[in-house]
Amino acid sequence: MDHEKLVVSGGNPLRGRIEAGGAKNSALKLMAATLLAEGSYRIERVPRIVDVQTMVQVLGRLGCATTFEGNTLTVDVPAEPGTEAPYDLVRQMRASIIVLGPLLARRGHARVSMPGGCAIGSRKIDLHLRGLERMGAEIAMDHGYLDARCDRLTGTRVVLDFPSVGATENLIMAGVLAKGTTRIENAAREPEIADLCAMLATMGARIAGAGTPDVEIEGVDALRATDHVVVGDRIEAGTYLIAAAATGGDVTVTGVAPKHLDLPLQKLADAGAQVDAGVNEVRVAMPGGPKPVDFVTLPFPGFPTDLMPQMMVLCSLAGGDSIATENVFESRFMFVDEIRRMGADIRLDGHHAAIRGGARLQAAPVRAPDIRAGAALVIAALAAEGETEITGLGFIDRGYERIEERLATLGARIERRVPR
Ligand code: EPZ
């Protein structure tokens, strides 16, 4: 894969309709949630991306059988799943840490390789661990592994220092089988959390306040397997809508709830786009050149950090100066050097980026340093003059299903070249 590249000829406005896939950042957690009860699960609209494949491997190591039919995943969970998530898989995908809560709740033991940092930040998990310890877990570091044990978790009040998505999800999945009631305050409110709670509810869990800062979980003795359809991927949808704006196009993304994209759509409208929100679809058209906008990333319902790189590309094309502020991850501007090579004029000052607009992006060989930065480079290449070669596809494929084929349906001149 590392030698594959995307070759993009820029300058074509994107036009047409495209269906959003199921959300990566929900599907991974729904797959982990299956560990909470024995039985067969049918999860529809699961994106066929590398991260999902890694989670399939993690479930496989824990004794679960999985089969895919199109985007429908069946997971068969045994009476006693394994309890170890190994280093070789966790290092490929930090999100594997999300099996910690379900395994501890279900089996009273979980051994998970300690996830390292990544290109966008240190990615600490202290809030996960502190919350589980407050619920009675004993957690030790053992040769690079977190070894967590508890006869049965006990519900309690946990106040999160920061509304961490992963910590909220791990603690919810710990609380559903705990003794008594767990109350998570300053919880994350991302739509993917509400989607997880919707699936847990059909498994028999008792959860109130999903998607709000205060989530209350009344533990039950047992849960049951279920079926679920993954919520639409607001980040994939946002990526295509920003690409439409950056190329002066007109694109409708279906299968996504506009309310999951309130702030990005508002910023696109501020940038001069025509934005039409339908029941479960959004249309973005950019008749003229983009205008500058300032934006700051924050936990939901703030502007999503996972759309920050894409939006910075749009701002670099704008007729004026914009300021982007990244508040969620401490080193998420690594990609800036790559779009500077394409002619963007961006100055960094801590977690602020001053983007001088009016750039005429030019083709240049670039490399994706992470999933969303990779998507931003594709957008830059679609807006640039000439033919751009993008490498580091391993990252893009982790979060986007068949990106070149899907963009080509909107008129993009893009292809994947695989060395012979
Ligand atoms: C999820 O990561 C997403 N990943 C990320 O998407 C997304 O950027 C992020 O939420 C924020 O929206 C998945 O869902 C798989 P956090 P997560 O815990 O759960 C700090 C993508 O491209 N923190 O909300 O890891 C942490 O260091 C990815 O799809 C602690 O300090 O995010 C970070 O700065 C990238 N201690 C901030 O909080 C903790 O215990 C947000 O992290 C936990 C987090």
Side-chain angles (χ1 to χ4, degrees), residues 24-25 29 123-127 164-166 306 328 372:
K24 164 181 89 79
N25 291 344
K29 320 314 169 49
R123 312 293 297 265
K124 291 185 291 179
I125 56 165
D126 54 324
L127 302 176
S164 151
V165 172
D306 293 346
V328 178
R372 307 306 171 183

Side-chain angles (χ1 to χ4, degrees), residues 152-169:
R152 183 168 183 196
L153 295 165
T154 304
T156 185
R157 179 170 170 262
V158 176
V159 184
L160 295 177
D161 295 8
F162 182 89
S164 151
V165 172
T168 301
E169 293 163 333

Side-chain angles (χ1 to χ4, degrees), residues 215-233:
V215 181
E216 201 156 278
I217 309 113
E218 196 191 325
V220 296
D221 293 338
L223 297 167
R224 58 184 177 272
T226 192
D227 299 342
H228 188 78
V229 180
V230 185
V231 71
D233 194 326

Side-chain angles (χ1 to χ4, degrees), residues 321-401:
D321 301 351
S322 311
I323 303 255
T325 303
E326 171 57 38
N327 289 312
V328 178
F329 292 104
E330 65 272 25
S331 55
R332 199 160 199 175
F333 288 141
M334 305 292 276
F335 70 101
V336 167
D337 282 341
E338 293 301 300
I339 48 173
R340 279 184 182 141
R341 289 159 39 71
M342 298 181 75
D345 181 348
I346 299 175
R347 287 157 211 211
L348 298 178
D349 176 11
H351 63 152
H352 300 291
I355 309 155
R356 179 144 297 153
R360 291 179 65 79
L361 295 181
Q362 298 170 329
V366 289
R367 184 171 183 78
D370 66 72
I371 300 173
R372 307 306 171 183
L377 293 175
V378 171
I379 295 175
L382 291 167
E385 284 160 21
E387 191 175 88
T388 296
E389 293 189 354
I390 303 173
T391 51
L393 303 193
F395 285 111
I396 298 175
D397 292 339
R398 282 188 53 189
Y400 293 88
E401 183 173 338

